[in-house]
Structure formats: C-alpha cells, structure tokens
C-alpha cells in the first residue's frame, strides 16, 4: 500500500488544544501474477496534538473506498473542508458511499 499526503487543516478542540489534521489518499494495488490489474483508493486521517511537551497521534484508515481517482480526490477534499477527525472518518465515508 502506498499513500500520499493531500492536504492539512488546523483545528482547535473544545478544550482549546491546537491540532493538525493530515489527510492522505492510500493506494492498494491488485495484481494478477506480475500484472497490475487495478488500484483501489482509500483515505487515512491523522490528528497530531501536543500534550505536556509530547506529540500524540490519533488516526483512522478507510481502505478500498473506491477504484475511481476522481471520487477519492473529491472525498478527501470534502473531508478536509469539513475538518473530519479520525474518530468520525468511517461514519462520514459510509454515508458518502
């Protein structure tokens, strides 16, 4: 599986903590023997936050969402625009598809 960072968003949590949301598109390659047959695309969301001088990560992965490059790009920018966190990623993806 490969992944590419697409965009990042800054958010402030209810407790005032600043966090960084990073959105990735993941690529799973499907082979038949040595031949690449097609690719499936997914999304990974990582939230990085600082607490007491240490970095903490929350993350979620939705694999094999679509085989359409256009649809996955549309979805990742929709997630970013609405600042979807790892906790709600799967609910939003299920509603979207």
């Amino acid at each position: 599986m490969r992944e590419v960072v697409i965009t990042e968003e800054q958010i402030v949590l209810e407790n005032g903590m600043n966090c960084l949301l990073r959105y990735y598109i993941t690529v799973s390659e499907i082979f038949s023997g040595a031949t690449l047959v097609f690719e499936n695309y997914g999304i990974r969301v990582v939230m990085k936050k600082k607490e007491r001088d240490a970095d903490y990560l929350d993350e979620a992965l939705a694999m094999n969402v679509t085989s359409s490059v256009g649809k996955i790009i549309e979805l990742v920018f929709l997630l970013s625009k609405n600042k979807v966190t790892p906790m709600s990623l799967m609910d939003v993806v299920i509603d979207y598809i």
Side-chain angles (χ1 to χ4, degrees), residues 16-76:
M17 182 181 303
N18 290 313
C19 295
L20 174 70
L21 291 170
R22 187 171 290 147
Y23 299 87
Y24 298 80
I25 289 179
T26 64
V27 183
S28 300
E29 298 170 329
I30 310 300
F31 287 91
S32 177
T35 305
L36 177 64
V37 178
F38 66 93
E39 296 176 325
N40 275 329
Y41 302 97
I43 294 177
R44 180 173 168 229
V45 179
V46 175
M47 183 168 68
K48 184 176 180 180
K49 54 189 174 181
K50 277 197 169 282
E51 287 185 11
R52 299 183 195 155
D53 299 321
D55 289 337
Y56 290 93
L57 294 177
D58 292 329
E59 62 181 290
L61 174 64
M63 292 184 64
N64 302 323
V65 174
T66 183
S67 58
S68 167
V69 173
K71 286 186 180 189
I72 204 68
I73 290 171
E74 178 183 315
L75 178 56
V76 79

Side-chain angles (χ1 to χ4, degrees), residues 5-11 15 20 23 28 32-34 47 56-57 63-65 69 80-81 83 85 97:
V5 175
I6 301 300
T7 188
E8 296 179 343
E9 294 289 337
Q10 294 283 335
I11 63 169
N15 64 4
L20 174 70
Y23 299 87
S28 300
S32 177
M47 183 168 68
Y56 290 93
L57 294 177
M63 292 184 64
N64 302 323
V65 174
V69 173
S80 172
K81 177 183 173 186
K83 300 182 179 178
T85 64
I97 55 174

